[in-house]
Amino acid sequence: MTALLRYQTALLLRSQRWLPPFILYAAFLAIGVQSGQPVLDSLGYSAAAVLPVAAWLVRICATNEPPAARSCVGAAVGPGRAHLACLAVALGAAVLIGAAATLVVTVISDPTSTDHQKRVPVLAAGGAGLLAALVCALLGTAVGALTTWPLLRSPGRAVPAMLLAALLALVVTGSPAHAALTDLITGSQAGTVPVPLLPLAAAALLTAAAIAAACVLTTRRSA
C-alpha cells in the first residue's frame, strides 16, 4: 500500500492538476478572511471551503491515470486497493491544505467573539478549526468518491453532481459539515470554543462507507 500511495502522490504532483483547486482556495481565503476578524468565524469560513476542494482532488486523483495504466495497476495490486490509494492521497492533500489554512487563519485573526467583547483561547480555537477542516475534508472526500469514476463516468454528469452534493453537504441540516460549521459560528457569538467531535465521528463513518462502496464497485466493474 505504501508503494501505491507514493505512486498516486507522484502522479498528483507531476500532473499539476492540483494547482487550480489550490489557487481557487487561496483566492477564496484572500477575499473572505482578513486580519483582525473574529477567529472562530474566520476558521469556519476557511474550513467550509475545504469540502469542495477535497471533492475536486478526489476527481483529479481518480482520473489521473490513462485507462491502460489504471488497468495495469489494478491487475497488479487489485482494482479496489488501487482506487483506495487514489482516495487516500486526495484526502491527505485536502487535510494538509486545510491544516495549513487553519494555522494561517488562527495567527492573523483576532481571538475574540463575534462582537469583539470576549476573549477566545487561541490554541483551543485553532484546534476546533482544525477539527472542522478535517470534517469538511472527510465529507468532501465522500462526495468525490460518490460522484466520480467508477460510479459516474461521464464528466457531464459527474461534475454537476459533485458541485451539487458539495453544496448540499455544507448547507443541509444534519450534515456533519453543517453541524461543525454551525458550532464554530455559535461558539463565536457566545465567546466559547466548541469541540466538534460528534460531527467528526459522523463524517468519518460516512466517508468510510462511501470509500468502501466506491472500492467495491471498482472491483466489480473491473472483473
Side-chain angles (χ1 to χ4, degrees):
M1 195 65 186
T2 302
L4 280 174
L5 293 174
R6 290 177 179 173
Y7 169 67
Q8 291 296 337
T9 301
L11 280 179
L12 177 62
L13 294 176
R14 291 175 183 174
S15 71
Q16 298 185 354
R17 295 174 66 194
W18 56 272
L19 280 172
F22 177 80
I23 292 173
L24 185 61
Y25 182 68
F28 185 80
L29 293 186
I31 294 171
V33 177
Q34 304 296 325
S35 177
Q37 290 179 334
V39 63
L40 291 175
D41 289 331
S42 295
L43 287 170
Y45 186 87
S46 65
V50 173
L51 197 153
V53 169
W56 193 348
L57 287 170
V58 168
R59 177 161 185 80
I60 291 171
C61 290
T63 58
N64 250 341
E65 295 174 286
R70 183 166 55 236
S71 297
C72 290
V73 175
V77 300
R81 292 187 65 190
H83 195 60
L84 176 60
C86 293
L87 301 180
V89 168
L91 174 59
V95 170
L96 286 176
I97 291 173
T102 297
L103 177 60
V104 172
V105 170
T106 302
V107 170
I108 68 172
S109 298
D110 187 16
T112 61
S113 59
T114 302
D115 57 8
H116 296 277
Q117 299 300 312
K118 298 178 182 178
R119 299 292 296 178
V120 173
V122 175
L123 291 179
L130 184 60
L131 289 178
L134 181 56
V135 169
C136 290
L138 285 166
L139 210 58
T141 301
V143 167
L146 296 176
T147 57
T148 191
W149 187 91
L151 282 85
L152 295 177
R153 301 192 178 191
S154 169
R157 295 180 179 179
V159 173
M162 181 186 72
L163 294 175
L164 178 60
L167 176 62
L168 292 176
L170 287 171
V171 302
V172 170
T173 301
S175 162
H178 182 270
L181 299 175
T182 300
D183 285 347
L184 288 178
I185 294 172
T186 55
S188 181
Q189 294 171 347
T192 58
V193 179
V195 183
L197 294 179
L198 185 59
L200 178 60
L205 290 174
L206 288 173
T207 304
I211 290 175
C215 291
V216 168
L217 188 56
T218 301
T219 301
R220 289 181 177 178
R221 290 193 173 181
S222 300

